[in-house]
């Protein structure tokens, strides 16, 4: 994991709003939508620059460090020691929660039979697999991850 610590050239609120408006779909549950938008906005404000390589970003809380994980190779996320991204402290993730694979020029998210399931953006239905788009939010357990395809 690479810790992003440079806070120079952070995006301004207008940039954050533009990205958030393209990521979120309308949801009847406005309080949940507001909470998820706040998480995404918090992550975007702390980004020094938009990743140019495929990456998965996450933080354990708003005041916690922001982590960036390269997606040049397939990764598995969960509490288990056999995962490439191990998140055990205070997490409701399963031992092997989800996996992201590169398929040609795309990235596929697959839930690995997790207890709490995996959701993408504002769709409340649990996914088995999902083709990720730049800016997608992945909700797993009590953590929100932000996917960047990079290359632009």
């Amino acid at each position: 994991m690479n810790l992003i610590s440079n806070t120079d050239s952070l995006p301004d609120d207008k940039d954050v709003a533009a990205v958030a408006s393209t990521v979120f779909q309308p949801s009847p549950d406005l309080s949940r939508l507001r909470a998820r938008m706040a998480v995404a906005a918090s992550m975007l404000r702390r980004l020094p620059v938009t990743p140019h390589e495929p990456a998965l970003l996450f933080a354990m809380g708003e005041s916690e460090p922001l982590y960036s994980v390269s997606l040049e190779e397939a990764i598995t996320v969960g509490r288990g020691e056999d995962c490439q991204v191990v998140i055990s402290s205070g997490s409701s993730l399963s031992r092997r929660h989800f996996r992201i694979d590169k398929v040609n020029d795309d990235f596929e998210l697959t839930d690995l039979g997790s207890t709490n399931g995996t959701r993408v953006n504002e769709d409340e239905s649990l996914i088995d697999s999902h083709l990720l788009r730049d800016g997608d939010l992945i909700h797993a357990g009590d953590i929100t991850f932000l996917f960047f395809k990079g290359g632009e």
Side-chain angles (χ1 to χ4, degrees):
M1 274 188 257
N2 300 321
L3 177 63
I4 296 175
S5 59
N6 180 1
T7 57
D8 294 340
S9 68
L10 293 175
D12 61 23
D13 288 339
K14 190 167 91 174
D15 293 334
V16 171
V19 170
S21 68
T22 62
V23 170
F24 294 100
Q25 300 170 1
S27 171
D29 185 352
L30 292 179
S31 63
R32 180 173 283 175
L33 175 62
R34 285 187 189 114
R36 289 182 178 171
M37 286 181 74
V39 168
S42 171
M43 281 192 263
L44 288 170
R45 279 191 192 101
R46 293 189 278 159
L47 267 181
V49 294
T50 302
H52 294 288
E53 300 297 327
L56 188 66
L57 305 175
F58 70 96
M60 297 301 291
E62 195 167 323
S63 61
E64 297 296 321
L66 182 63
Y67 295 97
S68 173
V69 179
S70 172
L71 295 175
E72 289 300 315
E73 296 182 18
I75 64 163
T76 303
V77 177
R79 292 183 292 112
E81 293 297 321
D82 60 333
C83 295
Q84 285 75 32
V85 180
V86 178
I87 304 173
S88 56
S89 178
S91 171
S92 60
L93 291 177
S94 293
R95 280 194 281 292
R96 293 176 43 86
H97 201 101
F98 68 82
R99 179 177 176 88
I100 297 178
D101 292 290
K102 187 169 184 178
V103 180
N104 299 320
D105 290 333
D106 294 315
F107 292 85
E108 183 175 30
L109 168 69
T110 304
D111 182 85
L112 298 174
S114 64
T115 302
N116 295 318
T118 305
R119 294 174 175 82
V120 177
N121 296 329
E122 289 311 300
D123 189 349
E124 290 301 319
S125 59
L126 300 176
I127 62 107
D128 289 323
S129 66
H130 176 86
L131 199 58
L132 290 168
R133 296 178 304 170
D134 196 35
D136 274 349
L137 291 175
I138 301 165
H139 309 286
D142 54 356
I143 302 174
T144 298
F145 300 82
L146 181 58
F147 168 76
F148 280 99
K149 189 169 183 178
E152 296 176 17

